[in-house]
Amino acid sequence: DTPSPTYSTWNFAIQRQIGTPWLVSATYMGSKVSHLYISVAKNYGVTALGASAANLASRRVLATLNPSQAKYFSNVMEWNAGGNQHYQGLLLSVQRRMSRNVSTSVNYTLSHCIGQVMGYNTKPEQTSTDPINYNKPGNCDSDRRHIFNLTAVIDSPKYNQKMLKMIAGDWKLSAIYKFQSGTPLMIQDGTDVSASTINHQQPDLINPSGVYTGQSCGGCFYLNKSAFQSQDIAAKAAGIPTPYTGNLG
């Protein structure tokens, strides 16, 4: 029987009050999700030199096992319950309760979520791009490495004079600011280079230290295209491991 997904979480927090208005805290947060379903191709086209759409039928996995019966099958998928995701985060918080008409709250989270890389992103409905080594680790689709939040509220002063109180009293000014890092980025070949029928295939990473250009101007390239190259089909056909790209984040 296919097991149902399970979820575990744990945390540890330290808090300290400083004076009357200030409260600081540090919280460690961890969680794990097990038995996520991974869509794994079972009747894909085996990579080989000269592979093309024309010879796909003869290269399919079932054709190599039973050629006479394989013609009755096209794409075959398996829902594998071996997916896992692990999350760890540190939440730092500073709060100032309302004092002298001012209250503030600031928090920063440094976290990382790791799971299996599956297709275009890490969502389980995507088919794994590597049906043999489908447990390759990568950043979760929901991974946000840095999150910063700031809120502030200012109360207007209290006035005893009735007219002044009506005009300038009982006002609140609030501000909210949020910053968070972006989602992981999946680099793709753009076409079915290996002629396997599996979508979202990735190029080989040949220069891990030169992935980013460091440029941020309009019209500039954020990624260094020369750090990647199309898949080495000859190496894949021979079973030689090629440089793993994963998802960037």
Side-chain angles (χ1 to χ4, degrees), residues 1 7 17 22 31 47 53 56-57 62 77 124 157 163-164 178 211 228:
D1 295 337
Y7 179 76
Q17 182 170 334
W22 294 97
S31 66
T47 301
L56 172 62
L62 294 182
M77 313 302 295
M163 184 60 66
L164 187 59
K178 181 175 182 176
V211 172
F228 307 90

Side-chain angles (χ1 to χ4, degrees), residues 13-14 35 45 77 99 142 156 241 244:
I14 300 177
H35 305 306
M77 313 302 295
S99 176
S142 59
S156 60
Y244 174 49

Side-chain angles (χ1 to χ4, degrees), residues 1-220:
D1 295 337
T2 302
S4 300
T6 59
Y7 179 76
S8 302
T9 182
W10 53 92
N11 61 74
F12 176 78
I14 300 177
Q15 295 183 336
R16 180 177 179 84
Q17 182 170 334
I18 302 175
T20 301
W22 294 97
L23 177 67
V24 297
S25 66
T27 304
Y28 164 76
M29 303 170 292
S31 66
K32 179 184 178 182
V33 183
S34 303
H35 305 306
L36 290 173
Y37 297 146
I38 305 175
S39 177
V40 182
K42 304 304 289 184
N43 194 32
Y44 55 92
V46 178
T47 301
L49 291 176
S52 66
N55 56 27
L56 172 62
S58 63
R59 291 185 296 105
R60 286 189 181 275
V61 173
L62 294 182
T64 63
L65 300 176
N66 191 335
S68 63
Q69 298 299 312
K71 61 184 179 181
Y72 300 112
F73 295 88
S74 181
N75 293 329
V76 178
M77 313 302 295
E78 175 192 61
W79 284 108
N80 186 295
N84 299 281
Q85 288 188 348
H86 303 262
Y87 171 86
Q88 296 190 75
L90 174 65
L91 171 61
L92 303 175
S93 175
V94 178
Q95 299 179 49
R96 185 183 192 270
R97 298 187 181 92
M98 185 63 70
S99 176
R100 297 181 181 179
N101 298 332
V102 177
S103 69
T104 57
S105 176
V106 180
N107 62 71
Y108 168 71
T109 303
L110 174 64
S111 63
H112 195 191
C113 179
I114 299 176
Q116 281 87 357
V117 175
M118 291 175 275
Y120 180 67
N121 47 37
T122 59
K123 295 179 180 178
E125 65 267 22
Q126 297 289 346
T127 302
S128 174
T129 56
D130 189 339
I132 298 177
N133 303 304
Y134 52 83
N135 279 319
K136 288 181 177 178
N139 302 302
C140 302
D141 184 52
S142 59
D143 184 47
R144 302 292 188 278
R145 203 67 53 87
H146 305 279
I147 302 176
F148 176 83
N149 294 287
L150 168 65
T151 60
V153 177
I154 302 176
D155 279 348
S156 60
K158 305 297 182 182
Y159 300 101
N160 294 324
Q161 208 280 333
K162 185 176 180 180
M163 184 60 66
L164 187 59
K165 182 178 180 180
M166 291 178 60
I167 298 174
D170 298 326
W171 288 90
K172 291 182 182 291
L173 175 65
S174 62
I176 299 175
Y177 174 78
K178 181 175 182 176
F179 167 83
Q180 68 178 21
S181 52
T183 61
L185 179 64
M186 176 71 79
I187 308 300
Q188 301 182 52
D189 265 329
T191 59
D192 186 0
V193 177
S194 63
S196 65
T197 73
I198 298 176
N199 295 324
H200 309 302
Q201 297 171 29
Q202 292 189 273
D204 294 336
L205 178 61
I206 58 176
N207 184 11
S209 62
V211 172
Y212 304 101
T213 63
Q215 300 175 351
S216 58
C217 54
C220 295

